[in-house]
Each structure stands twice: as structure tokens, then as C-alpha cells.
Amino acid sequence: MFRTISTLCLTMLCGVVSMAQTQQLTLEKCRELALQNNKQILIGAEKVRAAGYQKKEAFAAYLPAIDFNGGYFYNQKNLSLFDSDQMLPTKTFDLATQSYQFNLVKNPYTGEPIKGPDGQYVPETVALIPKEAMEFDIHNVFFGAVTLTQPIFMGGKIVAMNKLTGFAEDLARAMHSNEAQNVVYAVDGAYWQVVSLEAKEKLALSYVALLDSLDRDVKAMVAQGVATRSDLLSVDVKLNQAQIDLTKVQNGVALSKMALAQICGLPISDEYTLADDLSAVDTKAEIADNYNMEEVYSRRQDLQALELGAKITGQQKNVARASMMPNVALMGTYSFSTPNMYDGFKNRVGGAFSVGVVVSVPILHWGGNYNKYRAARSQETIMQLKLQDAREMVDLQVKQAAFKAQEALKTYDMTLTNLSKADENLRTASLGFHEGVLVADDVMKAQTAWLQAESEKIDASIDVHLCDVYLSKVLGTLQQ
């Protein structure tokens, strides 16, 4: 007795744990999970952040740049201004001429200055400058410079780059939003595919139940001698085929739920149920005939991306044109070194400021810069043509999507009519069979027709919703 109670408790506990592990997913939850876990969405978000950083980088070009450069050199030899000792002639003040005169060796008889063998006058006295006195220690040289650069005119390149990076950031956002719409559209398709297959699974179970009931009736009639063995075999074959179809549908449900889990970023082994069923599909929607295409263009993220791409190529053209313009920048530098040459080449740190303007004017590049500009201008024209072509394709997409949505609604209305007739046909056949007017084959034909009508209604219901989702996508109104 105790073992039985323990077994029951354990079974109930396992059931509670299983129910706790099975989560229910709504369409909004599936969209949220997919947007959170989709790798392309995450990549797009990183691209938006990177574009923002590039925009800040371009803005920094307006501001002055401060750089530091420094270094160290070891020199093998010292610096010497003379190759030997130097003897310099001296002068004394002559009162007679009121000027300084060189002290020269004179002939004691004539009083004239004496020239040496080299033809130069011989000084009487000299000032000795030893070679070592003019040697400087440069074995260890440290140097550095702090430089400030302020662009004044760069040919419009900085302005163009700031506009370009701004458009690039908007482009990254548009592409990210467009990818999010694609993910939402994929989630909707996978979600309603599961709903459709679950509805067909219920339909297959109902069909198996009908055939099973018919099989029992035919067996009873065979026992009474009012039906043949052949009638029973026909029903058994149909029942076996229905069970096979049921297995296929159940496998399809499992596979489609795995696909939905993969899109949502969930483990494919997780068990979950969907909050919606076939009754949640709105089949009463009305499809408009005309749309304001300018509003559609403004909502379509892919068109916005092309428009931004055209603006980017326009700024690239301006950047290329800037290479043909002069550049002007203000420079300020404080440089220092040890030893320094500012005060007797002393072996200590010394430095000085310097300020100036740097001008760079391109003169001749053999048409390289101009051809670069022309190539950028051609790219701008190409993007404008692509944008025009894309708008024409959007016009066609909207018309086709609206037509398909209207067609889906009409098809759904016809399936309702067919299902009503199939229900009545099945009811009449079942009544005739029980009254002995019809045979089992007639009932199975009516059941098959009912099954087909129900299946077509399910397909039409899902198709209405999917067409509506696709129309929302091409109109740019699909909620993310």
C-alpha cells in the first residue's frame, strides 16, 4: 500500500515538474526572443554602435590635435667644431688711426709686416683655442616635442566626412531595423506554420476517430451478415492510411516547433505550447485597393538605406574634390632636448616654442585627383539609379501583395462554402449508411471530401494571415 502511494506521489510530482518546464509562447514573445537572440540583429546593433563611434571620430577632426613625440639616441663620438687646436691673431688699439690693428711681426729695419712661406702675415701674438674646448658630449641625446595642430581649411573634407559618418550611422540604423522586420516576418511565418500543423493534427485525429467509428460499425454489420468482409478491409485500409497521415502530421508539428525554437534562439529540445490557435487568425480584414506610395517609401527601411547610400556617395564625391583643394593648418610646437643648443650646448634640458601656418597646395598629379572625383560622381549616379529602380520594385511588391491578400480572402470564403457542403454531405452519408441506403465506400468518400475541405480551410486561414503579414511588411507597417 505504502509503495503504491509513493509511486502515485512520484508520478504526480513528475507531472508537475513537466508542466512547470513546458512554457507557453505568444506571438509577441516569440518576436521578442528572436530579436534578442538573432545573431544578425546583434551584429546590426554592433554596426550601429561602430557607426556612432566613427561619427565621433570624424567630429574630432574639427578640434585641435595635440601630439607628443620623443626619442633617445646614443652617439659613438662627440661633436667637435675643430679638427685641431686653433690659434687666432689678436688686435690692439692704435691711437694714431683710432682703430684696432692686427699684432703682426714687423721687419725691425723697415717696419713692414713680415709674410710667412704661405704668403700670409705672421701674427706677433695669438689667442689659443684648444681643440678640446670646442668638443661637446652628444653620447646620450634625449629629445621631444609637443605639437598642436588646428585645421583651418581642408578643402571641405572635414565637413564632408562628418556628414558622411552621420549618414552612415543612419544607414546602420535603417539596416538594423530592416533586418529586424525580416526576423519578425520569419517568426510570424514559423509561428503560424506550427498553428496550421497543430490544427491539421487535430483534424487528423478527428478523421481517425471517424474512421474508427465506421470500422466498429462495419464490424458489427459483418457480424450481423449485412456487410461483407471486403467492406471491412476497405475501411481498415483507409484507417491505416489515416493513422500513417496522422503520424506524418505529428512529425511535421515536432519539426516545425524545432524550427520556431531555433528562430527564437531557444533550445530545440525545449517543450512549449503556443498561445494562439486557428481561431486567432483574423479572416475579416479588408484589403485597400490604393496606397499613398510616398508614405510607403518613407516607411520602407530598405529604401531609406538606399537613399542614405546615395547621400553617402555624394559626400564621398566631396571628399574626393577636397583632394584638389589647398589645405591650411595652424601649427604650434614646443620642442626640447638634452644637450640643448640654446645656451652654450649645455648637457641639460632646454626648449623653445614655435608657431606657424602650414599650407599645402596640390599643383600637378596628372589628373589622378580629378579622375578620383569623377569616379565618385559616377558612383553617386549609380546609387540614384538603384534608388529609382528600387522604388519601382516596391510599387510592384505592394500591388502584388495586395492582390494576393485579396485572393486569399476570396479563397477563404470559398473554403467556408465548400466545408459547409462537405459537412452536409458527410451528415447525409452517415445517415444513409445507418439506414442501410448507402454503403461504407460512400461514407468514406464523404469523409475524405470533408477532410479535404477542412484541410483547405486551415490552409486558407493561415494564408490569409501570412498574406496580411507580408502586405504589412511591404508597406513598412510591420510592428517590430
Side-chain angles (χ1 to χ4, degrees), residues 78-140:
N78 287 334
L79 179 66
S80 179
L81 297 183
F82 303 137
D83 59 349
S84 61
D85 295 341
Q86 301 296 309
M87 292 180 290
L88 303 179
T90 61
K91 286 183 177 183
T92 56
F93 188 76
D94 187 355
L95 292 175
T97 61
Q98 294 293 309
S99 64
Y100 285 93
Q101 302 293 327
F102 282 104
N103 296 318
L104 302 176
V105 177
K106 297 180 180 179
N107 189 322
Y109 300 104
T110 63
E112 295 295 327
I114 297 175
K115 291 184 179 181
D118 56 356
Q120 300 295 327
Y121 290 107
V122 179
E124 183 178 10
T125 59
V126 295
L128 176 64
I129 302 178
K131 176 179 180 296
E132 293 78 8
M134 300 304 292
E135 284 187 357
F136 304 98
D137 182 9
I138 60 169
H139 284 305
N140 299 288

Side-chain angles (χ1 to χ4, degrees), residues 272-283:
Y272 64 88
T273 60
L274 300 185
D276 296 311
D277 55 19
L278 199 61
S279 61
V281 179
D282 183 13
T283 56

Side-chain angles (χ1 to χ4, degrees), residues 76-265:
Q76 179 186 6
K77 297 181 179 181
N78 287 334
L79 179 66
S80 179
L81 297 183
F82 303 137
D83 59 349
S84 61
D85 295 341
Q86 301 296 309
M87 292 180 290
L88 303 179
T90 61
K91 286 183 177 183
T92 56
F93 188 76
D94 187 355
L95 292 175
T97 61
Q98 294 293 309
S99 64
Y100 285 93
Q101 302 293 327
F102 282 104
N103 296 318
L104 302 176
V105 177
K106 297 180 180 179
N107 189 322
Y109 300 104
T110 63
E112 295 295 327
I114 297 175
K115 291 184 179 181
D118 56 356
Q120 300 295 327
Y121 290 107
V122 179
E124 183 178 10
T125 59
V126 295
L128 176 64
I129 302 178
K131 176 179 180 296
E132 293 78 8
M134 300 304 292
E135 284 187 357
F136 304 98
D137 182 9
I138 60 169
H139 284 305
N140 299 288
V141 178
F142 296 88
F143 60 91
V146 178
T147 304
L148 182 145
T149 305
Q150 174 61 60
I152 298 176
F153 178 72
M154 294 288 132
K157 180 178 180 180
I158 297 178
V159 175
M161 287 300 298
N162 273 268
K163 291 182 179 180
L164 188 152
T165 52
F167 293 145
E169 184 180 19
D170 294 338
L171 173 61
R173 288 198 181 98
M175 295 301 294
H176 181 252
S177 180
N178 186 63
E179 185 62 33
Q181 282 193 350
N182 292 335
V183 170
V184 168
Y185 180 68
V187 169
D188 283 26
Y191 184 91
W192 293 112
Q193 176 71 14
V194 175
V195 171
S196 172
L197 290 174
E198 286 182 341
K200 289 190 175 182
E201 181 183 11
K202 294 178 181 178
L203 176 60
L205 287 171
S206 299
Y207 183 57
V208 169
L210 286 176
L211 287 173
D212 187 60
S213 176
L214 179 62
D215 184 72
R216 290 194 301 271
D217 291 342
V218 173
K219 284 180 180 178
M221 295 175 69
V222 169
Q224 296 174 2
V226 294
T228 64
R229 182 69 177 173
S230 177
D231 295 332
L232 180 60
L233 291 175
S234 297
V235 175
D236 288 340
V237 169
K238 203 70 172 180
L239 177 60
N240 290 337
Q241 184 61 46
Q243 290 172 341
I244 293 174
D245 293 339
L246 174 61
T247 302
K248 291 180 179 179
V249 172
Q250 289 173 339
N251 291 338
V253 170
L255 293 175
S256 62
K257 293 180 76 172
M258 290 181 186
L260 178 59
Q262 190 275 330
I263 295 176
C264 295

